[in-house]
Amino acid sequence: MSLLRRRRRGGQDEPERAADAEERKPEHRRAEKKWSCLDNCCWFIGCVCVTWWVLLFLYNLMPSSFPQYVTEAITGPLPDPPGLKLRKEGLTAKHPVVFVPGIVTAGLELWEGHQCAQGLFRKRLWGGTFGSVYKRPLCWEEHMSLDNETGLDPPGVRVRPVTGLVAADYFAPGYIVWAVLIENLAQIGYEEKTMYMASYDWRLSFQNTEVRDQSLSRIKSNIELMVSTNGGNKAVIIPHSMGVLYFLHFMKWVEAPAPMGGDGGPDWCAKHIKAVMNIGGPLLGVPKAVSGLFSAEAKDIAVARAIAPGVLDQDLFHIQTLQHLMRMTRTWDSTMSMIPKGGDTIWGDLDSSPEDDYIPSKRRQNATYEAKDGSSEPEPKQKRKRRHYGRIISFGKDIAEAESSEIDRVNFQGAVKGRNVANTTCVDVWTEYHEMGFGGIKAVVEYKAYTAGDLVDLLSFVAPKMMARGSAHFSYGIADDLDDPKYLHYKYWSNPLETRLPNAPDMEIFSMYGVGIPTERAYVYTEAPWAECNIPFRIDTSAGDEEEDV
Amino acid sequence: MAVILRFRKLCFQEPSPSSCNEHKRQVTKRDGEKMKENCGSEEDGLRRKGVKEWRCVDSCCWMIGLMCTAWWLLLFLHHCMLASLPGAEPPGARLGRQGVAALHPVVLVPGIVTGGLELWEGRPCSDGLFRQRLWAGSFAEIFKRPMCWLEHLSLDNETGLDPAGIRVRASSGLVAADYFAPGYFVWANLIENLARIGYEEKNMHMAAYDWRLSFQNTELRDQTLSRLKSKIELMYVSNGYKKVVVVPHSMGANYFLHFMKWVEAAGGGGRGWCAKHIKSIMNIGPVFLGVPKSVSSILSAESKDVAFLRAMAPGLLDSEIFRLQALEHVMRVSRTWDSLVSLLPKGGEAVWGNLDWSPEEDHVCDWGTRKYQPQLKAKGNETDGRHSFQVQEPAKFGRIVSFSKTVSSPDATTSSKSNASCGKVKTEYDEVSQETIWKISEERAYSADTLLDLLRSVAPKMMKRAEAHFSHGIADNLSDPKYNHYKYWSNPLETELPEAPDMEIYSLYGVGIPTERSYVYKLSPPGKCRSIPLQIDSSADGSQNGCLKGGVYFVDGDESVPVLSAGFMCAKGWKGKTRFNPSGSATYIREYKHIAPANLLHGRGLESGAHVDIMGNVALIEDVLRVAAGASGVELGGDRIYSDIMKLSEKIKIHL
């Protein structure tokens, strides 16, 4: 207020001064300038605020159907959402529904943390706005990591899954995960008493979610409750992505006897589950998990590196994003559940793989084809290079394409791991690669091509601690004899090739997935240029085919 | 943005030089000095005009900018301060260091109003609100589409369930009632402190329910009671067979009473379920015997605050200018909520007093000087004097509703009921004839017994619906098979506690705040669009030691619940082995003296005793934490009493 008064006085002084002759004028100008410096700022901020408020006000005044109206005007009338359409056909809620979210999509919140996480109690660390990632990245990374020995909480940190439908309806604001499905289900009459989000801590190995949080017991109790309160109608389970494996584990767990399992008896699934509708289930694993564990890269990062080679590797700001990322993700046991399962039999060996005949740009060819004349002219026999999808990791493009006889593999497992080459400057970003040493890295490269069967060996060579933890919880083979009592152990429960489905003849299993999008299958790696703190392997982005299907 | 700035500079600077130049060209032949002067003055004149222009809008902008900047600066400072200020150590952290750790699973049962409600299916006007909060949270929808909001929060007036095409459901999880509005905590403090000694969602559960429904209807519609049972059983098993500690708040205490009876009778738990699963029940500000506040809200949708507001600005609420009719709307909606009826005073005249007598009659109302124990002893003479004075003329608290003597006889002809112009807001009063209202006010005074008749005549539908779910009497013979009906389950005077001798029942509540106890009513002045014929007579200010203020009699309590209602059951009704407590479960009273926060930095206070703010009371949190970690009531220190609840209870003579 005093400022305002002062300013006003400045204004009122003006006429008096104006009456005087020009010699006072410069002084007057100066006075004006003196407060225009600060005032301009204020004025500007005020302007921005006012326009912002006006726009916000107008936006709020806008009837909520307006955007819909606009889109309808542009694209023509929208079809009813499926829920509404089906309700008109008379569909109503009957069976309770259970959602099982996959890896990464469900929220995690902080329950106990170190000093640096003050004020984040019960705030989302994962999911939501990810605000804390930017504000205090190292603190965030520290809290998101698990203990490298046990795969459970590090001391003094408790990060827990969000519960309820909010756990995974949106991943980030506006980024839908389950929200649309939930809304459509609600339109035919579902609500929270008939819908349940089986959220669990997706960083843990499946059995550990039960050990630490009793997540499996909670799912069991909730399904039982929903079935009994909905007149005995069995539940429909909708797992997504890794949730498929998790639910597979659950079904074995619930029938297993008490100390290790849920003690539900051999017909629990038959009694409580109508159908399991797997959405995009990586039942046999995904190659992406390999590149994630091996070098913390995925297709997107490899592309980013190709476009801007320097950015990711800069030591300048000590960002070392990938290293941090790798250190964090390697403490997450769950990533190991998605390593390709079934070995060479499923994923192919050095020479052959089930997908060998796949032509990546088939769809495009088909389209041009019909445009031409529509006749059934056989596809022009292209002399194609055989692709060796079975080599999930190969070092160098030539290796990826070479005949198997040409590849001279040197076994890496005997290789002596070198001394710790880690430079003291980057000790803070510790990855297990630093313990491996130079010799180890060379040995890995010398082996040249890895098939699904070799992968597990490779990973346990480069990440011994993680794999030691993981192999106690997951298995990647194919069972020869399912009656072998060793298969009663929980580490086999999430591998469909090493377990039996529960005894439930009426239970239906759906597998629903999208097709038609290029998907990562095998990687060409290169040894990274030696820098002090780098991850020694990276995807070789220069290895592009003419068809860009690598 | 840069464009705006440039534009402004143009407006501000351009006119004067250019116009001066023009002027110069025109008057070139004149004397140089004169010209200069001329031009100078002209320039100044123009400048002044320019300045004036910039004043008009720009001053506003300038002001707003200044305020915004100042606000941001302060906010920034505030954040810095908060981070650097050590602040009081939360009780959870202190107890955690002393070795108190999570042991028993905890169930939180929220009360009325504080739980969130969200929309699952609605009318077209509620487009885009799917799974958004209608109740609690930001309440943004009230301002955006008030009528739509009211429509969706109402229940069906016949069934007390959802109206057709609308599904509003309770939010679930801890978020359901941690904050009522942004920054207004309810359970958040307690949750945070529990977390500090090791609690997390696997051993802490918020038993959220739709607080608008009658208790049995929550099971009927949402299976809420079944879910609570299953949840408690799960927590019991998965936490190593440790019994749960239940922490109900406000109406949640009644809800949990209902639950205990339900689980043993209808829920399939069988006898012994409570003994097996429940360690203790820590009722925070329980409304075991109801609150008088509910009477005024049913009668006229008013409470102390509204009456006070009316006294301050007599015209405001009754103004018909904007056709707001806020009270009418509130009344219409809240009368569809059955749960309100569960809060009506229970126990009738035996508990709440009759026309001439009430247990609180020698209550000292001088709130300014009223201090507990030490002061009382220090100036004993003075207080004794005052005391004797009161005995001569005690406040008639027993008359829960009385009509002021100065009833102006309403003109029956002018206040014809049905008004075509404002037929929009229909309350049940439209169906009550003028004569009935007359008769009601003729009656002068109503005790807790006759009150129910009064309500039945003014709110027939609501009472008919809700009285199938709630009962407000005292049982003569508890073994009468009629008491197996669920409508008695939430009335502690008409049910037995479950057979659980090891179960502890706590009553934790604040004292030292004037609390509404009874009301002076009058007929409202006839108005065109006003359809509530009764209102609190805010002019009735008593000389009776300040007990009567603005038409409301006050007694000791926690601002919402009188001590009598919160404490009586644990002080006498259940104490030892009584017919209401056949197995002799232990009961404890823990009172918390209200100490208003010293300054704004303390927010709502660490030692508050107010009905909701008590959830942030450090002593209360500590008690809850200790019990959750395994302590018994004796280890806490047994009863801790500041108010005269024991004396009050003595005066209430009911068969035990």
Side-chain angles (χ1 to χ4, degrees):
Chain A
M1 253 3 232
S2 61
L3 264 173
L4 189 66
R5 216 172 299 134
R6 197 171 54 134
R7 202 190 137 244
R8 191 172 286 155
R9 208 186 319 126
Q12 278 163 355
D13 283 351
E14 235 172 281
E16 291 166 32
R17 282 200 212 138
D20 292 351
E22 57 162 344
E23 72 248 37
R24 288 215 180 166
K25 223 175 275 167
E27 201 180 292
H28 163 70
R29 280 235 180 89
R30 214 185 301 137
E32 192 178 83
K33 231 168 222 166
K34 213 161 78 186
W35 49 259
S36 74
C37 175
L38 190 76
D39 289 331
N40 262 336
C41 273
C42 283
W43 177 88
F44 180 64
I45 291 167
C47 253
V48 172
C49 283
V50 169
T51 27
W52 177 250
W53 288 334
V54 168
L55 285 177
L56 208 69
F57 182 69
L58 284 177
Y59 176 78
N60 277 329
L61 271 189
M62 189 175 74
S64 53
S65 59
F66 186 70
Q68 198 190 342
Y69 176 77
V70 170
T71 43
E72 273 182 17
I74 294 169
T75 62
L78 290 172
D80 274 348
L84 220 56
K85 194 182 75 193
L86 291 172
R87 183 166 69 173
K88 282 176 193 158
E89 291 171 16
L91 247 70
T92 50
K94 185 178 175 199
H95 296 278
V97 169
V98 176
F99 308 112
V100 187
I103 196 168
V104 173
T105 48
L108 299 172
E109 55 188 23
L110 184 76
W111 278 82
E112 186 184 337
H114 295 307
Q115 194 62 37
C116 68
Q118 211 184 18
L120 290 180
F121 176 69
R122 283 184 59 220
K123 299 270 187 305
R124 287 211 182 179
L125 288 189
W126 189 270
T129 56
F130 284 98
S132 48
V133 181
Y134 306 107
K135 279 197 207 154
R136 24 195 158 174
L138 285 175
C139 183
W140 180 82
E141 187 215 335
E142 185 186 343
H143 285 82
M144 283 298 296
S145 302
L146 294 169
D147 190 284
N148 207 20
E149 301 288 334
T150 61
L152 293 169
D153 289 326
V157 174
R158 280 188 292 154
V159 174
R160 294 288 177 267
V162 180
T163 57
L165 292 177
V166 284
D169 53 352
Y170 290 94
F171 177 57
Y175 187 93
I176 297 158
V177 184
W178 293 94
V180 171
L181 184 58
I182 292 172
E183 186 163 357
N184 282 296
L185 281 168
Q187 275 160 354
I188 63 167
Y190 280 93
E191 52 195 67
E192 262 181 293
K193 68 175 174 183
T194 43
M195 262 194 287
Y196 171 60
M197 178 75 74
S199 62
Y200 56 96
D201 191 336
W202 46 261
R203 300 170 305 159
L204 299 183
S205 74
F206 301 156
Q207 191 67 12
N208 274 345
T209 62
E210 170 67 12
V211 170
R212 197 192 71 181
D213 298 338
Q214 283 87 45
S215 298
L216 298 171
S217 302
R218 287 154 71 110
I219 296 173
K220 174 176 176 244
S221 150
N222 261 301
I223 292 179
E224 283 169 357
L225 171 70
M226 289 205 299
V227 169
S228 69
T229 54
N230 284 290
N233 285 319
K234 292 192 258 183
V236 171
I237 320 290
I238 311 181
H240 172 238
S241 176
M242 192 180 79
V244 173
L245 301 175
Y246 190 72
F247 197 73
L248 208 60
H249 186 94
F250 170 79
M251 286 196 290
K252 293 304 286 183
W253 172 86
V254 78
E255 303 205 329
M260 204 196 293
D263 208 12
D267 56 349
W268 191 94
C269 292
K271 267 196 274 183
H272 292 93
I273 299 175
K274 177 185 181 280
V276 182
M277 309 190 73
N278 298 315
I279 303 177
L283 280 167
L284 300 179
V286 276
K288 213 174 177 171
V290 176
S291 66
L293 289 172
F294 195 57
S295 61
E297 293 175 304
K299 188 182 59 183
D300 326 317
I301 289 181
V303 169
R305 179 170 277 155
I307 293 170
V311 177
L312 281 168
D313 306 323
Q314 265 177 5
D315 289 336
L316 201 58
F317 301 110
H318 286 283
I319 296 179
Q320 302 171 310
T321 322
L322 283 184
Q323 283 87 335
H324 280 292
L325 202 67
M326 171 174 251
R327 194 172 58 146
M328 184 170 75
T329 50
R330 281 212 178 163
T331 66
W332 296 348
D333 288 351
S334 61
T335 48
M336 284 176 282
S337 72
M338 298 202 289
I339 292 173
K341 288 165 192 164
D344 296 356
T345 326
I346 301 284
W347 294 92
D349 54 21
L350 284 181
D351 295 323
S352 67
S353 76
E355 289 124 324
D356 270 351
D357 305 332
Y358 174 68
I359 299 160
S361 43
K362 197 168 167 187
R363 173 169 293 178
R364 209 186 312 147
Q365 286 173 353
N366 275 354
T368 48
Y369 210 45
E370 282 164 14
K372 254 185 230 162
D373 50 7
S375 68
S376 56
E377 183 189 338
E379 192 177 331
K381 233 349 180 227
Q382 288 181 340
K383 178 59 199 151
R384 311 184 123 267
K385 267 178 287 176
R386 276 174 68 79
R387 264 170 294 278
H388 301 285
Y389 286 116
R391 302 168 190 175
I392 292 184
I393 288 182
S394 41
F395 281 90
K397 193 181 166 191
D398 46 337
I399 304 287
E401 285 163 3
E403 293 299 316
S404 61
S405 52
E406 298 164 14
I407 301 172
D408 173 31
R409 299 208 288 184
V410 180
N411 200 347
F412 60 90
Q413 269 154 323
V416 185
K417 290 191 180 182
R419 268 181 47 250
N420 190 351
V421 292
N423 200 312
T424 41
T425 52
C426 48
V427 161
D428 56 331
V429 190
W430 175 91
T431 63
E432 279 182 302
Y433 278 123
H434 288 137
E435 287 186 355
M436 210 167 81
F438 209 61
I441 293 166
K442 266 278 169 287
V444 166
V445 177
E446 285 302 303
Y447 195 64
K448 294 199 174 75
Y450 296 86
T451 63
D454 303 330
L455 269 178
V456 181
D457 297 333
L458 168 65
L459 286 174
S460 47
F461 183 73
V462 300
K465 273 193 183 155
M466 176 185 78
M467 291 305 284
R469 256 176 16 237
S471 56
H473 286 281
F474 299 108
S475 167
Y476 314 103
I478 302 181
D480 293 326
D481 175 18
L482 278 168
D483 291 325
D484 191 332
K486 79 167 183 176
Y487 288 114
L488 293 176
H489 191 267
Y490 60 77
K491 77 179 204 180
Y492 300 104
W493 287 345
S494 61
N495 182 356
L497 298 175
E498 290 177 310
T499 44
R500 288 204 180 96
L501 284 179
N503 179 20
D506 295 336
M507 190 173 84
E508 296 166 318
I509 298 177
F510 297 78
S511 198
M512 307 189 283
Y513 50 87
V515 291
I517 305 177
T519 306
E520 293 159 67
R521 174 65 170 83
Y523 300 91
V524 178
Y525 265 86
T526 178
E527 201 180 340
W530 185 254
E532 282 169 4
C533 314
N534 269 350
I535 298 169
F537 308 108
R538 56 159 68 162
I539 295 173
D540 186 0
T541 43
S542 63
D545 243 6
E546 51 273 28
E547 283 140 35
E548 294 192 330
D549 63 323
V550 176
Chain B
M1 277 185 269
V3 178
I4 302 177
L5 197 65
R6 221 173 297 133
F7 175 69
R8 198 203 135 230
K9 265 186 192 146
L10 279 178
C11 293
F12 188 49
Q13 290 171 346
E14 207 81 322
S16 35
S18 66
S19 59
C20 187
N21 283 345
E22 265 175 40
H23 205 76
K24 264 184 207 164
R25 254 176 260 130
Q26 281 173 8
V27 289
T28 31
K29 286 190 180 152
R30 285 197 189 168
D31 181 14
E33 211 179 31
K34 206 181 177 186
M35 181 213 78
K36 265 184 189 170
E37 235 180 3
N38 229 351
C39 184
S41 64
E42 188 85 2
E43 193 180 323
D44 272 332
L46 278 164
R47 161 99 35 87
R48 222 175 298 145
K49 210 197 267 170
V51 165
K52 235 172 217 163
E53 257 172 28
W54 120 269
R55 279 237 163 137
C56 186
V57 188
D58 295 319
S59 276
C60 280
C61 284
W62 182 83
M63 252 328 267
I64 290 166
L66 193 72
M67 279 181 338
C68 284
T69 324
W71 176 252
W72 288 332
L73 265 176
L74 285 176
L75 211 68
F76 180 71
L77 276 178
H78 179 71
H79 274 287
C80 290
M81 290 264 285
L82 273 191
S84 61
L85 273 180
E89 196 184 16
R94 185 160 42 84
L95 291 176
R97 265 192 289 109
Q98 291 170 14
V100 174
L103 184 71
H104 296 279
V106 170
V107 175
L108 312 173
V109 188
I112 196 169
V113 172
T114 47
L117 299 173
E118 51 188 34
L119 183 77
W120 279 82
E121 186 183 339
R123 303 264 153 79
C125 72
S126 68
D127 206 25
L129 290 180
F130 175 69
R131 283 183 61 219
Q132 306 288 310
R133 288 253 176 127
L134 287 189
W135 188 268
S138 64
F139 286 102
E141 294 312 314
I142 303 186
F143 306 108
K144 279 199 208 158
R145 25 192 157 172
M147 294 316 292
C148 183
W149 184 78
L150 284 170
E151 185 188 350
H152 283 81
L153 272 181
S154 309
L155 294 169
D156 189 282
N157 208 17
E158 301 289 334
T159 59
L161 293 169
D162 288 327
I166 291 179
R167 281 187 293 155
V168 173
R169 295 288 178 266
S171 318
S172 65
L174 291 176
V175 284
D178 54 350
Y179 288 94
F180 178 60
Y184 188 89
F185 70 82
V186 182
W187 291 93
N189 266 11
L190 189 58
I191 292 172
E192 182 165 355
N193 281 297
L194 281 168
R196 279 179 198 272
I197 63 166
Y199 281 93
E200 51 195 69
E201 268 182 281
K202 70 174 172 183
N203 46 16
M204 181 159 47
H205 173 64
M206 176 77 74
Y209 55 97
D210 190 335
W211 46 263
R212 302 169 304 160
L213 300 183
S214 75
F215 302 157
Q216 193 63 19
N217 275 345
T218 62
E219 169 66 11
L220 194 75
R221 195 191 73 181
D222 299 337
Q223 284 87 44
T224 314
L225 298 173
S226 303
R227 289 156 70 105
L228 181 56
K229 173 174 174 260
S230 143
K231 201 78 203 181
I232 290 179
E233 283 167 355
L234 169 68
M235 290 206 295
Y236 173 70
V237 172
S238 63
N239 284 288
Y241 300 94
K242 291 274 179 293
K243 296 191 219 177
V244 299
V245 170
V246 184
V247 189
H249 173 236
S250 181
M251 192 179 79
N254 296 357
Y255 189 75
F256 198 73
L257 271 185
H258 186 94
F259 169 78
M260 285 196 293
K261 294 303 286 183
W262 171 87
V263 79
E264 301 212 326
R271 291 178 76 83
W273 191 93
C274 293
K276 187 181 164 199
H277 291 97
I278 300 176
K279 174 188 184 281
S280 42
I281 306 172
M282 310 200 71
N283 302 295
I284 301 176
V287 282
F288 284 130
L289 300 180
V291 275
K293 215 174 179 172
S294 62
V295 177
S296 66
S297 68
I298 294 178
L299 258 187
S300 61
E302 293 174 305
S303 64
K304 186 185 60 181
D305 320 316
V306 173
F308 183 69
L309 188 67
R310 183 171 275 154
M312 297 297 288
L316 189 67
L317 278 172
D318 309 321
S319 65
E320 290 154 19
I321 309 168
F322 301 111
R323 304 269 223 103
L324 277 177
Q325 301 172 306
L327 286 184
E328 279 82 354
H329 280 297
V330 169
M331 165 171 271
R332 195 180 47 130
V333 173
S334 63
R335 278 210 183 166
T336 65
W337 297 345
D338 288 350
S339 59
L340 265 188
V341 176
S342 78
L343 297 176
L344 288 178
K346 288 166 194 166
E349 294 186 356
V351 172
W352 292 92
N354 57 24
L355 294 187
D356 301 317
W357 168 88
S358 74
E360 289 117 327
E361 58 192 357
D362 47 356
H363 173 70
V364 183
C365 295
D366 203 344
W367 294 102
T369 55
R370 181 186 167 88
K371 293 272 158 31
Y372 292 110
Q373 283 100 347
Q375 275 86 348
L376 262 175
K377 268 174 209 157
K379 25 182 188 173
N381 277 337
E382 202 184 324
T383 37
D384 273 354
R386 203 190 301 145
H387 199 267
S388 58
F389 170 71
Q390 278 147 24
V391 171
Q392 285 163 8
E393 199 190 334
K396 302 272 196 293
F397 291 116
R399 304 173 183 179
I400 292 184
V401 170
S402 51
F403 283 89
S404 54
K405 292 129 211 161
T406 55
V407 173
S408 57
S409 57
D411 203 339
T413 48
T414 51
S415 63
S416 59
K417 293 295 313 180
S418 54
N419 238 315
S421 62
C422 37
K424 263 203 302 186
V425 191
K426 271 204 157 179
T427 62
E428 278 185 302
Y429 275 119
D430 294 331
E431 291 155 30
V432 179
S433 71
Q434 191 67 20
E435 286 74 52
T436 329
I437 302 293
W438 243 119
K439 257 184 236 156
I440 287 169
S441 64
E442 285 285 82
E443 198 66 44
R444 285 274 182 270
Y446 294 86
S447 70
D449 276 343
T450 48
L451 187 69
L452 291 174
D453 298 325
L454 164 65
L455 290 177
R456 279 182 205 120
S457 62
V458 298
K461 268 193 189 156
M462 177 194 201
M463 293 303 283
K464 187 165 161 253
R465 225 175 44 229
E467 289 208 304
H469 286 279
F470 298 108
S471 166
H472 302 93
I474 302 183
D476 292 324
N477 177 14
L478 277 168
S479 47
D480 189 331
K482 80 166 182 176
Y483 288 113
N484 290 332
H485 192 266
Y486 59 77
K487 78 180 206 179
Y488 300 103
W489 288 345
S490 62
N491 182 356
L493 296 174
E494 289 178 309
T495 43
E496 289 170 358
L497 284 181
E499 195 186 314
D502 295 334
M503 191 172 78
E504 300 168 319
I505 300 177
Y506 293 79
S507 193
L508 319 164
Y509 54 89
V511 292
I513 308 179
T515 307
E516 292 160 69
R517 173 67 168 81
S518 47
Y519 300 91
V520 179
Y521 264 86
K522 69 173 183 190
L523 293 180
S524 28
K528 209 176 158 204
C529 289
R530 293 193 49 80
S531 56
I532 301 179
L534 303 171
Q535 68 178 50
I536 294 176
D537 184 3
S538 50
S539 65
D541 257 325
S543 56
Q544 291 164 325
N545 316 312
C547 280
L548 177 62
K549 223 182 235 163
V552 183
Y553 284 94
F554 291 99
V555 293
D556 197 6
D558 69 357
E559 199 170 24
S560 290
V561 186
V563 168
L564 176 69
S565 173
F568 174 74
M569 286 318 287
C570 284
K572 191 174 178 194
W574 287 330
K575 195 84 184 170
K577 238 183 197 169
T578 68
R579 65 190 180 110
F580 300 115
N581 181 10
S583 58
S585 307
T587 61
Y588 302 96
I589 290 185
R590 306 283 289 174
E591 291 186 344
Y592 303 90
K593 243 185 299 181
H594 174 71
I595 299 170
N599 56 41
L600 276 176
L601 265 182
H602 288 169
R604 286 153 70 202
L606 301 171
E607 293 170 285
S608 174
H611 191 58
V612 176
D613 294 359
I614 198 173
M615 312 278 274
N617 186 310
V618 174
L620 177 130
I621 290 175
E622 195 177 322
D623 284 349
V624 174
L625 258 52
R626 281 187 190 282
V627 170
S632 70
V634 179
E635 284 162 15
L636 281 190
D639 289 348
R640 190 177 65 182
I641 295 174
Y642 299 107
S643 71
D644 32 15
I645 177 70
M646 286 321 215
K647 263 191 278 171
L648 297 184
S649 309
E650 278 312 305
K651 287 188 198 159
I652 298 174
K653 301 274 191 279
I654 55 173
H655 166 57
L656 291 174

